[in-house]
Amino acid sequence: MEIKVVQKNSYDVIVVGGGMAGVAAAVASARNGAKTLLMEKTVVLGGLGTQGLISWFEPLCNGEGKQLIGGIPEEIIKVCVKYGFENLPTKWGGKGVNPLDQPRYVTRYSPYACALGLIEFLEENNVDLIFDTLATYPKMENNMCVGVEVETVSGREFYPAKIVVDATGTAVICDRAGIPTEIGENYLSYVTHEMNIEDAKTLAETGDFCAARKWRGAGSDLAGNGQPQKMKMLHGVTAEDVTYYMTTAGKFVLERLKKQDKNTYDILATPTMPQYRKIRRIIGDSEFLGNEDNQIPENSVGSFGDFRNPGRNFQLPYTTLFNSTRPNIFAAGRIISAKDEGWEITRVIPVAAMSGEAAGTAAALCAKNNVTAPELDIKLLQTTLKSAGVLFE
């Protein structure tokens, strides 16, 4: 039986993936005059920062009090705390509930309040949003992407587009379009949000929800400490790998729960997506390596730091966002062309959102001027980003 493909409305820019990078890309695109669609395979925006329960917005600063990231990422951190708890330092507009009141521009936040706020954020910026839409393949003609095929409850559909931004976190659109990619390696790390009786007492005494919504980790930390012996590294590019990740991690948590009094705690949430850090990234026209401290590339699209190491300062080259062999597809978020340490530095929320804003802005300018990524005037892009509050520190 032949499967009918229904053609949907066409767009100047389609952003695939509704994580923080995708939201930033879609808002940037729409603000620059492009008819923009954001498609998300689940029904929750925010990606790892909401569904993945990694609800900590890493620093927008260099860790020493100097802000490096502005623009839409700074707007998003405010969205994250607009309707839920926060522990943003007072220097950065917090309400004084951060007991450390540290100099870093960071905060914890409610993942679900954030996810709802992100929908409002898209609506305020005239971004079309479609949930429950699994992007399957880019449709290619002469190395150009003319749109995205999807599967929905309605069946198989096709959305035409001038420019596509892949913000999936898996680089699935880029990879299936023929852009060269590299697969990452991940330890098994699994974070749940839980609360016990003592946590509840602390909340009642202090009013600090951050003290109550505790992160409980299972498996490995960032450095691999806690990784079970002989456990294979995980990649996230097959259903079998994802299933192994989620079921194995769930068993770790269950074994811990079996040793506790069930009337003294509650699991507030478990992640609804695997908490991989690095799944797959593109190999672009250039690669960010993570050793470019204080370098200022002529094609910079903004500055950022290293969330682990205060004092480091970087700028992201525009050419990490695309590969010229497929010139109307941009990458955003943790799939950009960043290698080794560079991948570790750029995969986190604020930098992912920063690359999302750059990719979305570039996509809109390409659509407006009828050019491709390598043809775009870098000075026009930089001027547009600066006028939107992007910092080049």
Side-chain angles (χ1 to χ4, degrees), residues 250-289:
K251 291 174 184 176
F252 290 164
V253 175
L254 196 58
E255 286 305 308
R256 172 168 54 80
L257 298 183
K258 288 177 180 179
K259 301 173 184 177
Q260 298 178 210
D261 180 348
K262 66 180 183 179
N263 292 307
T264 62
Y265 70 90
D266 186 25
I267 296 180
L268 304 179
T270 59
T272 54
M273 64 182 291
Q275 296 161 327
Y276 294 106
R277 295 184 173 93
K278 297 178 287 188
I279 298 175
R280 182 166 45 204
R281 57 97 179 180
I282 71 164
I283 299 173
D285 280 14
S286 68
E287 292 186 300
F288 175 74
L289 304 178

Side-chain angles (χ1 to χ4, degrees), residues 241-361:
D241 194 272
V242 172
T243 301
Y244 177 81
Y245 189 116
M246 297 299 284
T247 56
T248 304
K251 291 174 184 176
F252 290 164
V253 175
L254 196 58
E255 286 305 308
R256 172 168 54 80
L257 298 183
K258 288 177 180 179
K259 301 173 184 177
Q260 298 178 210
D261 180 348
K262 66 180 183 179
N263 292 307
T264 62
Y265 70 90
D266 186 25
I267 296 180
L268 304 179
T270 59
T272 54
M273 64 182 291
Q275 296 161 327
Y276 294 106
R277 295 184 173 93
K278 297 178 287 188
I279 298 175
R280 182 166 45 204
R281 57 97 179 180
I282 71 164
I283 299 173
D285 280 14
S286 68
E287 292 186 300
F288 175 74
L289 304 178
N291 60 4
E292 299 93 334
D293 301 58
N294 301 311
Q295 295 182 23
I296 305 176
E298 291 184 357
N299 63 349
S300 170
V301 291
S303 58
F304 59 99
D306 181 346
F307 73 104
R308 306 160 304 172
N309 299 303
R312 303 188 77 188
N313 300 270
F314 304 100
Q315 295 201 28
L316 186 69
Y318 171 58
T319 42
T320 62
L321 304 180
F322 62 89
N323 183 297
S324 290
T325 63
R326 304 294 186 270
N328 71 330
I329 301 177
F330 286 94
R334 57 180 169 154
I335 70 164
I336 66 171
S337 186
K339 185 178 181 180
D340 301 330
E341 272 295 284
W343 199 353
E344 188 69 25
I345 293 167
T346 57
R347 67 175 178 78
V348 295
I349 289 175
V351 190
M354 188 211 77
S355 67
E357 180 170 10
T361 303

Side-chain angles (χ1 to χ4, degrees), residues 365-381:
L365 293 176
C366 285
K368 180 179 180 180
N369 293 286
N370 197 29
V371 297
T372 61
E375 296 169 335
L376 181 63
D377 181 351
I378 186 62
K379 298 299 183 184
L380 173 62
L381 176 58

